[in-house]
Amino acid sequence: MSTLQRAMVILEYLSENGAAPASELIDHSGIPKSTAYLLLKEMQQLGLVSQDDRGNYRLWVRLIALGERASGQLDIRDTARPHLEALMNRTGLLCHLGIFDGDAAYYILKIESQSTISVRSSVGKRLSLHRSGVGKCLLAWQPESVRRAIVAATDFQAVTPTTIVSAEALEAELAKIRREGWGFDNGEDVSAVRCVAAPVFDGTGGVAGAISVVGTSMQVADAMVDSLAGQVLACARDISRDLGWTEA
């Protein structure tokens, strides 16, 4: 193995197992003892690992700094675009990527459908957190304190006959979304427009955004919802993996 490969073996072992003595790292990696000690010393000087009073090695702050910089350079739109284009081609439906910001959600990417039937939307559009599929998915995975504060402050005005109109009903809907992994907007924001959505997670396991397919009630008929949900979930997982998420 090259020096870089040997270093990666050590770093990956520490990331999975926490602190470990040099002897354990040597046994796991198969790196010659003298080489391993030299490599660990160099990694310690670079701030990649540290050594505690017991002589155990652990990952150290330079990796955190590098990871944060790498995360900042990952534009979720660039990551999601090819996956959403493929999802649009498979379903024939308009696709979106949305993010959470404060007390609302916003579309940041739109992949237009080639269908002759179109649903109007735009990048930058503000979304309701309780009437839209993307909004409900984003709200469902917020920390409990954030979620409860938003629900408590929500104006439950009935925009359509299917709009959620109470905090209790919304909390029940959000629990269902967390349980099933996807959300559904049954014409709750715009009559006869339906949306199937799923969350996208980043390398920390936090929700980074949500994707959706959108169509009219004719395009997203009752019999199609479960199939579309499976496709949206699979697409969301692919994007999440590209952002560094690993499934538990």
Side-chain angles (χ1 to χ4, degrees):
M1 291 189 292
S2 68
T3 301
L4 181 58
Q5 288 174 317
R6 288 170 170 168
M8 284 302 301
V9 169
I10 291 172
L11 293 174
E12 288 177 352
Y13 185 82
L14 291 175
S15 73
E16 294 173 1
N17 298 279
S23 58
E24 186 177 328
L25 295 172
I26 291 167
D27 289 341
H28 168 74
S29 65
I31 301 171
K33 185 176 180 180
S34 59
T35 302
Y37 276 106
L38 288 171
L39 182 56
L40 285 167
K41 182 179 180 180
E42 186 173 2
M43 292 169 69
Q44 193 172 355
Q45 291 171 341
L46 292 170
L48 301 176
V49 299
S50 69
Q51 192 175 22
D52 62 23
D53 294 337
R54 297 182 179 182
N56 292 327
Y57 289 90
R58 66 180 70 247
L59 301 181
W60 203 233
V61 292
R62 184 74 180 278
L63 288 172
I64 297 173
L66 291 172
E68 288 183 347
R69 290 173 192 168
S71 295
Q73 292 168 3
L74 275 177
D75 189 325
I76 188 174
R77 292 170 299 181
D78 293 339
T79 303
R81 185 182 298 276
H83 295 288
L84 287 181
E85 288 175 344
L87 181 63
M88 184 277 292
N89 286 328
R90 287 193 299 270
T91 63
L93 297 173
L94 170 67
C95 296
H96 289 119
L97 168 68
I99 59 169
F100 177 81
D101 183 26
D103 61 352
Y106 297 88
Y107 286 145
I108 61 169
L109 179 63
K110 170 185 174 182
I111 306 298
E112 190 67 73
S113 167
Q114 303 304 310
S115 172
T116 54
I117 302 174
S118 62
V119 175
R120 294 179 60 186
S121 72
S122 60
V123 171
K125 179 183 177 181
R126 181 183 173 119
L127 307 169
S128 165
L129 289 174
H130 77 286
R131 296 195 305 267
S132 68
V134 165
K136 288 190 288 185
C137 277
L138 291 170
L139 181 57
W141 271 275
Q142 294 307 310
E144 183 176 359
S145 59
V146 174
R147 188 185 75 245
R148 288 189 179 278
I150 290 173
V151 172
T154 297
D155 177 11
F156 290 99
Q157 181 181 357
V159 176
T160 76
T162 54
T163 300
I164 294 173
V165 292
S166 73
E168 294 76 16
L170 178 57
E171 285 286 13
E173 176 79 357
L174 298 177
K176 179 182 178 184
I177 290 171
R178 290 192 298 273
R179 187 170 60 250
E180 298 184 351
W182 60 278
F184 183 50
D185 164 12
N186 184 22
E188 296 157 40
D189 194 45
V190 178
S191 293
V193 174
R194 288 176 154 188
C195 161
V196 179
V200 171
F201 300 99
D202 61 22
T204 70
V207 65
I211 63 168
S212 66
V213 292
V214 182
T216 65
S217 54
M218 182 172 61
Q219 292 172 304
V220 186
D222 290 345
M224 301 171 60
V225 171
D226 286 344
S227 174
L228 286 172
Q231 294 182 71
V232 173
L233 271 170
C235 182
R237 289 193 183 106
D238 287 342
I239 298 169
S240 299
R241 292 187 189 103
D242 284 354
L243 291 173
W245 172 80
T246 53
E247 193 165 3

